[in-house]
Every structure is written in structure tokens, then in C-alpha cells.
Amino acid sequence: MSEQPTEKKAAPAGEKAPPGGLRRVLDEILQGSWLVTALAVVLALFFGAIMIIVSDEEVRGTFSYFFAAPGDALSASWTAVSEAYGALFRGAVWNPESSWNVATAIAPFSETLTEATPLLLGGLAIGLAFRSGLFNIGGQGQLIMGAICATLVGFTVQGPVVVAAVLAVLAGIAGGALYGALVGLLKARTGAHEVIVTIMLNYVAVSFLVWLITTDAVKNHERNEPLSKSVSEAAELPRLLSWLPEGGGSLRLHAGLLIAAAAVFFCWWLLNRSTLGFELRAVGANPTAARTAGMSVGRSQIMAMLISGGLMGIVGATQVLGTANANNALTPSIDAGLGFTAITVALLGRASPVGTVFAAILFGALQAGGRAMQASSGVSIEIVTVIQALIVLFVAAPPLVRGLFRLKGAGGSKAALASKGWNG
């Protein structure tokens, strides 16, 4: 006796069908409140403090006689944590102990902005794809292709900065955009999942990069290590603070920050004021409804990945043309993990252009301050990496944060509106 196939129950009229696993997780993250995000940062810093205490041998020694003299353990713990986080603040925001002049006063924050620039551009790229219903995990590959194109133009084109640097940046945008558009095209035409395609294309880009810097046309024959030719001086992005006296020339902040600021405005305008942005958000919220309304889902997916890839291409261009690379050349590690760090920045910023700004500055401050923390207090910079991971972990689990702080759940209408189109 054959069994009758069970029919899948449709969602009741007027109710939206529950999203799939990955989409459901992202929806939960992106519709969380900003209070939850702030508390996630506080929790991460708290657990970071515990790791600082545990990793300090002298502090651990005071806990061996904790019940005899608890004040010693508490005092030593407070000293270790305050010195570590104080050093982090001095390395990321302001160092009141430095000799007073403008260059030294703004040096820590300028370093934070330097670290935040590629994170901001990458976060905008991933966030734009999120808002369009796509998970662009191929930032690494798009970054590498952008860096390759920017480098090839950078050491080939000669001329003033307004020509060489601009052309190199545009080449980086084109390289990343075309590599991203390929993913969108495969998604639209064949239904291939963007996560699988982008992961595979990451490997293709890395392998292509490793091969390219060994070719006679690209390799720097004056160096033994795998390294491409350096871009011309005219193609390098100008330093923004080199005009400051008494040390301004040593500050690494470059014109990539201005490009990132323009990208923030562009993404905000695109998503909130343009017809294309409305289509991208509509497709991201409900592809079926968008198709019923006459929108081309395939076209929106291609455009979303093209723009997302172009933004990641700028990250690659700034890695070569900016100050992150002392040789201003291609290396096997040119991506520096930015393609994946950008995902965490986009999640922390809830895929909002404005939110991504604050998320990028926070991560930039942790990276810049982490080096100072390690140098002055001996605390491993790996603790900063753990803090970043904990921030993302707590942001990804809003119910956990609400439960720890006894907060009420996300409010109905506001959360529902936030989830539509993944508005941050």
C-alpha cells in the first residue's frame, strides 16, 4: 500500500513564509536593536578583561592566596586590565602623555582611521549585498582582482597624480566589479548559490595572484621574494596629513579615507533615494513579490553583486596604492584577511551605511590600539582578535544579550520594518 506524499503547508494568508536557515540568522542579526549592539561590545570587553587577567602570570599568582588577602588579587586584576585598556585607548584615540603638537596629538586617531578605511569600504560592499538578499562571501577574491588591476595600471601609466592615481583606482573598481558581476550572472541565469560560487572564486583569485607575481611581466626582478613591480609614485594615494609640521609626514592616513566617505554617501543615496536601490531592497525582502510587481530579480542580483564587487575592488586598490603596503606592490597576502573581516563589520553595522561607519571605526580602533597595547603592557594582540570575535558572536545572538541584561524582546512593528529589505 503506497503512502500518499505529504503536502507542505502554505503560510496563512497575509503572513510571510519563514525564511531559510542562513537568511533567518541574518534577519535576526540585522533587525536587532542598537542597544543590543552596544551591550555586545560591553560584554566582549568584559570577557576580554577576564582573558587579560588569566594570561597575566603575576595576577594569577595573587589568586593563589585569594581567601587570605582578596584585595591583592582584585588590585592586581584592576591594574592589569586598566593598563591594557588604557594603552589600547592611547594607541587608538589619544595619548595625553605624548609631547604636545598637532601631529602627535592626532597620530593615534589617524592610525585608527587608516585601519578603518578598508574595513569601511569592505563593510559597505558586504552590507549592500545583504540588503539585496545575497551573502557575498567572496570579498577576498574581488579584493584581489581589484588589487591586481590597480597594480597593473599603477606601474604602467605615467603622469600626474590626478591621472595615474585616478586611473589605478578606477581599474581596481572595474576588476572587483566584473568579478562580482560574474557571481550575480551565475546566480541569475543558473540559480547557482552565491556562497558556493564566491568561495570557489576566492581560490581562483588567490591562485591567479600567486601565479601572476611570478611572471616576467609583473615580477619585481630586484627582489627575491614573490613581489610584483611597485606602482609609480604618481599612482600612490596622497597622504592627507603630510602637511602638518613636526611629524606629519609619518602619519599614514591617505586619500582612501575620502574615497570611503564618498562610498558611504553613494551607498546611502543608492539604497534610500534611488529606484535601483528600492528594487535591490525589494528583491532582498521578498524576491517573489518583487517579481510579481514587475521587477527583474536577475537584473537586481547582477547589479547588487557588480556594485558590491566594485566596492571590494576599491579595498584592493587602496591596499596597493595606500600606505598599508610598504612596497606598494602585489604580494601573496595582499588581502590581509579583509575580505572576511568586512563580513563582521557589515553584521556589526547591521548592513546600514551609517552603522557600518561606526563599526569600521570600532574595529579600526581595536586594531590600531591593539598594537600599542601589546607594545606597552605586554598583552598579546590576539586578545583583540578574540574581542572582535566575541562582539560578532554576541551581535549574532540578540536573545542571549537580552537575556543577560534582562531586556525586553525586539518590538513588533519596528523589528518587522527593519527586517524588510534588511534595513539597519
Side-chain angles (χ1 to χ4, degrees):
M1 185 174 178
S2 61
E3 295 183 359
Q4 295 294 328
T6 58
E7 295 183 1
K8 188 177 180 179
K9 290 185 179 180
E15 292 187 13
K16 187 178 176 180
L22 177 62
R23 176 65 183 279
R24 183 170 61 252
V25 172
L26 291 174
D27 273 344
E28 175 66 19
I29 295 172
L30 298 179
Q31 75 183 18
S33 68
W34 289 106
L35 176 60
V36 171
T37 303
L39 293 176
V41 175
V42 173
L43 278 174
L45 292 174
F46 171 76
F47 283 104
I50 294 177
M51 287 184 289
I52 292 172
I53 294 171
V54 172
S55 63
D56 192 306
E57 185 176 354
E58 293 184 5
V59 177
R60 290 202 309 270
T62 62
F63 277 91
S64 63
Y65 56 91
F66 176 80
F67 293 103
D72 290 354
L74 296 176
S75 176
S77 300
W78 170 256
T79 300
V81 173
S82 61
E83 287 182 354
Y85 282 162
L88 190 148
F89 177 84
R90 292 191 297 273
V93 182
W94 178 54
N95 185 2
E97 300 173 359
S98 62
S99 57
W100 177 252
N101 64 67
V102 177
T104 55
I106 67 175
F109 192 63
S110 72
E111 193 65 20
T112 291
L113 293 178
T114 303
E115 296 288 347
T117 295
L119 297 176
L120 174 54
L121 288 164
L124 291 172
I126 305 301
L128 180 68
F130 281 164
R131 299 285 288 270
S132 305
L134 301 171
F135 193 4
N136 180 12
I137 204 172
Q140 180 188 26
Q142 295 148 23
L143 185 159
I144 289 173
M145 296 306 295
I148 290 173
C149 293
T151 303
L152 294 178
V153 172
F155 69 66
T156 302
V157 175
Q158 302 294 327
V161 174
V162 292
V163 175
V166 170
L167 287 178
V169 172
L170 292 176
I173 295 174
L178 291 176
Y179 212 60
L182 175 61
V183 177
L185 184 63
L186 292 174
K187 171 80 172 180
R189 294 289 183 266
T190 68
H193 201 288
E194 71 275 6
V195 172
I196 303 300
V197 175
T198 50
I199 289 176
M200 295 299 101
L201 287 179
N202 282 346
Y203 287 107
V204 172
V206 171
S207 300
F208 179 64
L209 170 65
V210 172
W211 169 80
L212 185 67
I213 58 180
T214 63
T215 61
D216 291 336
V218 177
K219 178 178 173 58
N220 186 341
H221 297 282
E222 298 177 359
R223 305 286 291 271
N224 293 326
E225 65 268 29
L227 191 72
S228 76
K229 299 176 183 177
S230 298
V231 301
S232 65
E233 187 174 346
E236 296 177 12
L237 294 172
R239 299 195 180 199
L240 297 180
L241 303 175
S242 59
W243 54 273
L244 289 174
E246 301 183 43
S250 63
L251 301 181
R252 300 194 306 142
L253 189 62
H254 55 78
L257 178 65
L258 302 180
I259 300 174
V264 172
F265 176 78
F266 168 75
C267 289
W268 175 86
W269 172 85
L270 175 68
L271 291 171
N272 298 286
R273 293 292 184 269
S274 70
T275 303
L276 175 60
F278 175 79
E279 292 181 1
L280 296 180
R281 290 188 291 114
V283 170
N286 193 323
T288 303
R291 186 180 291 108
T292 302
M295 300 178 188
S296 173
V297 174
R299 172 181 172 273
S300 296
Q301 291 171 339
I302 295 173
M303 291 301 299
M305 289 304 304
L306 184 144
I307 299 172
S308 179
L311 290 169
M312 287 304 306
I314 302 177
V315 179
T318 59
Q319 284 294 99
V320 175
L321 308 177
T323 54
N325 185 336
N327 298 298
N328 293 110
L330 287 173
T331 65
S333 59
I334 192 65
D335 66 287
L338 291 170
F340 294 100
T341 307
I343 298 175
T344 64
V345 172
L347 291 175
L348 182 60
R350 303 197 184 282
S352 161
V354 176
T356 303
V357 172
F358 293 101
I361 292 176
L362 173 62
F363 273 53
L366 289 174
Q367 292 182 3
R371 293 192 294 268
M373 184 175 69
Q374 184 177 36
S376 64
S377 60
V379 176
S380 174
I381 196 172
E382 299 302 326
I383 288 183
V384 170
T385 304
V386 175
I387 290 174
Q388 291 176 336
L390 287 173
I391 290 174
V392 177
L393 174 64
F394 289 127
V395 168
L400 173 62
V401 178
R402 295 191 188 101
L404 290 174
F405 288 93
R406 298 183 181 278
L407 300 177
K408 294 181 179 180
S413 60
K414 186 174 181 180
L417 288 174
S419 67
K420 294 181 180 180
W422 292 3
N423 289 313

